[in-house]
Amino acid sequence: MKIRIPKITVPKLKEISVQAPEIKLPEVKSVKLETPGVVTPEIKKPTIAPVHIKKPAIAPISFKKPVIVKPKVKLTHYNFGIEIVNENMKEKKLTIAIDGFSSCGKSTVAKELARKLGYVYVDTGAMYRAVTLYCMRNGLIADDGTVDEAALRRDIEKIGISFIYDPQTSKNTTLLNGEVVEDEIRRIEVSNKVSYVSRIDFVRAQMVKLQQDMGRQGGIVMDGRDIGTVVFPNADLKIFMTASPEVRAQRRFDELTAKGEKVTFDEILENVNQRDYIDQHREVSPLRQADDARVVDNSQMTRDEQFELILKMVDEAKEANA
Ligand code: DC
């Protein structure tokens, strides 16, 4: 491969420090010049963003055979506008697991994070809610929460759960067998029953399988209760979110009353406590913090403070993965 680059003093490239642990030069796809002229090899803040140089260049550069460079620092970006496109150096897309108690703002953070990083967001709670709604509609769950497990087991493969995902807003719309049920699954009647369904082993096995399929490629932010422990035990970043039950109940109360639902604070607090108990004490995949999870208690944090903290964690995870 030969590439011509005008007005580039190649030896100055020596002054560039590179951070990637290993760069296979033959995999460089293109070298183009964005700002033709004097090369000032002053390095900007190192970044792992792939670099593009737009205009053809004169200085011949040839890579005759695979050359492995093992530089000290990662580099792809420097201030004279040269970028090297190297598929190898493309930033690894992380798998981010966000677990924690109900109503502590996991999905808000996860959505915001996915939008910021250009990742996909998956709300696994919505999946258990959709199965619960299916049970309610088909008479598979009694008022006291008893589930007709034999019937549900027969039906489980037929319960189609899918999402319409909007990457601009990270909004996930949940579909149950093709029908939009996004609002219905958030209703208090479903919230009150979902723990009885989500504790059933074959329901969890089926959901975990679907979740692992969705996250196989990385570049995903998934929130739930068992993401860092069961679904993606090797996630690049695990966050465990929590807040006091009262703070969480207040948030859910505000959310539901804003939607016009007639609920009382005490009713919501009771639901929060009850779900915490069931989530933590169920036999299959109880809610617990993964040993390597980072804890975020947002009882006293503003949304901005929390997001800033989480972005810092993401940066650290990226560093660790670079
Ligand atoms: O996050 P949420 O409140 O929408 O979740 C609804 C219920 O689903 C919650 O009571 C716990 C359960 N759940 C679970 O058991 N495992 C998950 N990965 C996600 C949710």
Side-chain angles (χ1 to χ4, degrees):
M1 167 170 58
K2 284 199 176 173
I3 304 162
R4 302 195 144 244
I5 303 177
K7 292 187 187 170
I8 281 192
T9 315
V10 175
K12 288 191 177 173
L13 286 171
K14 283 182 189 157
E15 292 177 41
I16 292 161
S17 60
V18 182
Q19 253 179 11
E22 186 175 277
I23 299 171
K24 287 180 186 158
L25 289 183
E27 292 190 33
V28 168
K29 289 243 168 98
S30 66
V31 177
K32 295 177 200 163
L33 195 60
E34 208 164 50
T35 321
V38 180
V39 171
T40 317
E42 184 189 319
I43 300 159
K44 275 191 181 168
K45 197 173 164 233
T47 156
I48 52 171
V51 187
H52 290 265
I53 304 161
K54 306 249 162 70
K55 281 196 187 148
I58 298 168
I61 299 176
S62 56
F63 306 120
K64 295 200 177 90
K65 56 179 176 170
V67 181
I68 308 288
V69 181
K70 289 198 173 167
K72 288 192 210 99
V73 231
K74 178 188 325 159
L75 152 88
T76 45
H77 212 132
Y78 26 106
N79 80 341
F80 50 90
I82 290 183
E83 291 185 88
I84 298 168
V85 179
N86 184 332
E87 290 301 301
N88 242 17
M89 293 168 69
K90 271 200 178 151
E91 190 172 291
K92 185 195 162 199
K93 292 201 160 196
L94 305 182
T95 298
I96 301 177
I98 302 187
D99 290 305
F101 291 97
S102 63
S103 308
C104 61
K106 294 185 301 292
S107 62
T108 309
V109 165
K111 246 183 255 175
E112 243 173 277
L113 199 55
R115 191 170 55 232
K116 170 108 187 158
L117 300 172
Y119 288 7
V120 168
Y121 162 62
V122 175
D123 171 1
T124 61
M127 300 170 74
Y128 291 99
R129 286 171 179 272
V131 178
T132 306
L133 181 63
Y134 179 92
C135 292
M136 290 165 72
R137 285 179 170 182
N138 292 279
L140 304 187
I141 187 164
D143 286 346
D144 67 356
T146 308
V147 176
D148 181 346
E149 292 194 25
L152 180 56
R153 191 188 285 274
R154 277 196 300 275
D155 284 5
I156 192 76
E157 300 271 348
K158 297 197 299 202
I159 305 179
I161 298 169
S162 50
F163 294 105
I164 299 172
Y165 182 69
D166 178 352
Q168 301 298 320
T169 60
S170 288
K171 187 174 169 4
N172 249 346
T173 303
T174 312
L175 284 82
L176 172 61
N177 289 332
E179 176 195 342
V180 173
V181 291
E182 185 56 36
D183 289 339
E184 212 173 338
I185 59 168
R186 309 285 163 194
R187 295 179 65 91
I188 187 108
E189 292 81 0
V190 176
S191 299
N192 283 338
K193 297 252 161 58
V194 62
S195 292
Y196 299 106
V197 173
S198 63
R199 68 182 177 190
I200 301 172
D201 56 358
F202 62 85
V203 172
R204 299 205 71 84
Q206 177 72 6
M207 295 306 113
V208 167
K209 197 168 101 199
L210 294 173
Q211 290 152 11
Q212 288 173 335
D213 283 346
M214 287 186 242
R216 217 167 281 292
Q217 308 295 322
I220 194 159
V221 183
M222 193 173 272
D223 78 351
R225 305 294 190 285
D226 57 344
I227 312 306
T229 49
V230 177
V231 182
F232 297 123
N234 297 320
D236 302 298
L237 174 62
K238 299 178 186 177
I239 294 172
F240 189 84
M241 282 179 58
T242 182
S244 72
E246 290 73 19
V247 167
R248 291 185 280 132
Q250 187 65 50
R251 288 180 190 152
R252 183 144 284 198
F253 175 76
D254 294 344
E255 212 176 278
L256 291 174
T257 47
K259 281 187 196 162
E261 281 212 40
K262 298 257 174 295
V263 287
T264 64
F265 174 79
D266 288 347
E267 180 187 2
I268 302 292
L269 181 61
E270 194 187 322
N271 175 255
V272 164
N273 282 325
Q274 185 195 26
R275 283 207 287 154
D276 282 1
Y277 185 86
I278 301 180
D279 288 350
Q280 287 175 293
H281 292 88
R282 67 175 172 230
E283 267 174 47
V284 196
S285 309
L287 169 65
R288 71 170 180 83
Q289 185 191 322
D291 295 338
D292 50 351
R294 316 268 313 252
V295 179
V296 175
D297 182 337
N298 63 24
S299 305
Q300 308 292 333
M301 274 185 212
T302 64
R303 240 169 98 163
D304 286 352
E305 285 167 347
Q306 170 177 261
F307 198 57
E308 208 174 294
L309 174 67
I310 290 177
L311 282 181
K312 212 168 133 248
M313 292 176 178
V314 170
D315 282 344
E316 286 165 10
K318 282 183 177 174
E319 283 285 310
N321 270 282

